[in-house]
Amino acid sequence: MTEPLKQAEVEAPEEAERSLTGVDIDPASNEIKLHTFRTSRLIGSHPNLIARDATLETCDLRNSALMDLRASRVVLRDCQLLGVDVSGATLRDLVCINCQIKLGRAFGVKFERCWFENCDLRETEFEESRFERIAFRGCDLRQARLLRSPLRHVDFRGSRVEGIAVGPEELLGAVITPDQADTFAAAMGLRVLPMPDETAG
């Protein structure tokens, strides 16, 4: 069985050629590469965007439509991604730390070696996605939907998972902690009850 992902295994971006602060992100030729952006903003719809070897810090991508995004070796820190839509994307070697991604949409996304740490992913939709060595550490996944998404290479340890929607067949092989077991059992429709004391009168 594959070992859970370690953050050090995620490939880091190559050294940036440009560093920009406080400007709108303008994807030239629909590509972002070898850049570092700080307190920048990306708005609107950018289908088929390519992002590689890029770092975004305290950037605002709220409600951006990034369908069919192709991203590799990208780091996001302290970014606002409320309602972002990356459906159909391929995300490889992504590190996402302290980001707000609540109500995000990620239908049919391929995730490969992605590390999410201390991210708010409440009510995010990951349905029909593929996960290859993914870690959610200290994240908030309450009410997230991961139906029809095999989770055998996903590490949920340390994350909040109350109300998560998963299918029993997809959960096989996922990595969880003992205190999360009741929540995942409930998500699959099981009832976890203590044994009754049948000797009591």
Side-chain angles (χ1 to χ4, degrees):
M1 183 171 288
T2 305
E3 288 297 311
L5 179 70
K6 297 177 182 176
Q7 187 177 359
E9 296 177 283
V10 181
E11 287 187 29
E14 293 182 18
E15 186 175 350
E17 294 177 351
R18 298 186 66 192
S19 181
L20 301 170
T21 300
V23 300
D24 285 353
I25 300 171
D26 181 19
S29 303
N30 217 37
E31 186 174 24
I32 297 170
K33 64 179 180 178
L34 296 168
H35 277 54
T36 295
F37 293 96
R38 293 182 179 88
T39 64
S40 298
R41 182 176 64 160
L42 177 66
I43 58 174
S45 177
H46 301 277
N48 301 302
L49 179 67
I50 297 171
R52 64 179 177 85
D53 297 304
T55 299
L56 285 74
E57 297 179 356
T58 62
C59 291
D60 185 352
L61 287 75
R62 285 177 289 185
N63 299 310
S64 294
L66 305 175
M67 280 76 75
D68 300 312
L69 169 70
R70 298 292 177 264
S72 59
R73 298 184 300 276
V74 172
V75 175
L76 300 166
R77 289 192 188 93
D78 303 305
C79 292
Q80 296 289 332
L81 297 109
L82 177 74
V84 71
D85 190 343
V86 294
S87 296
T90 299
L91 308 177
R92 181 176 294 116
D93 292 302
L94 172 74
V95 173
C96 195
I97 298 175
N98 297 326
C99 293
Q100 299 293 320
I101 317 174
K102 184 180 177 184
L103 298 169
R105 292 173 55 87
F107 284 105
V109 172
K110 181 179 179 183
F111 295 89
E112 184 178 341
R113 288 190 308 273
C114 296
W115 182 274
F116 294 87
E117 183 176 330
N118 298 326
C119 293
D120 184 351
L121 293 150
R122 286 175 292 167
E123 301 179 64
T124 295
E125 300 176 344
F126 294 100
E127 297 186 48
E128 299 182 16
S129 290
R130 291 190 299 162
F131 296 96
E132 293 292 333
R133 304 199 69 211
I134 309 304
F136 294 104
R137 289 296 175 83
C139 294
D140 192 340
L141 285 155
R142 287 177 290 173
Q143 309 299 323
R145 298 180 59 82
L146 294 100
L147 299 170
R148 297 177 299 282
S149 299
L151 303 172
R152 62 184 168 272
H153 300 296
V154 179
D155 184 349
F156 290 101
R157 290 178 295 173
S159 293
R160 296 195 64 177
V161 292
E162 300 90 71
I164 196 168
V166 295
E169 58 280 353
E170 285 89 14
L171 198 56
L172 183 66
V175 180
I176 64 173
T177 53
D179 61 300
Q180 293 173 319
D182 288 353
T183 300
F184 279 105
M188 294 186 296
L190 299 176
R191 294 171 55 196
V192 180
L193 300 172
M195 283 290 292
D197 184 357
E198 296 176 353
T199 62

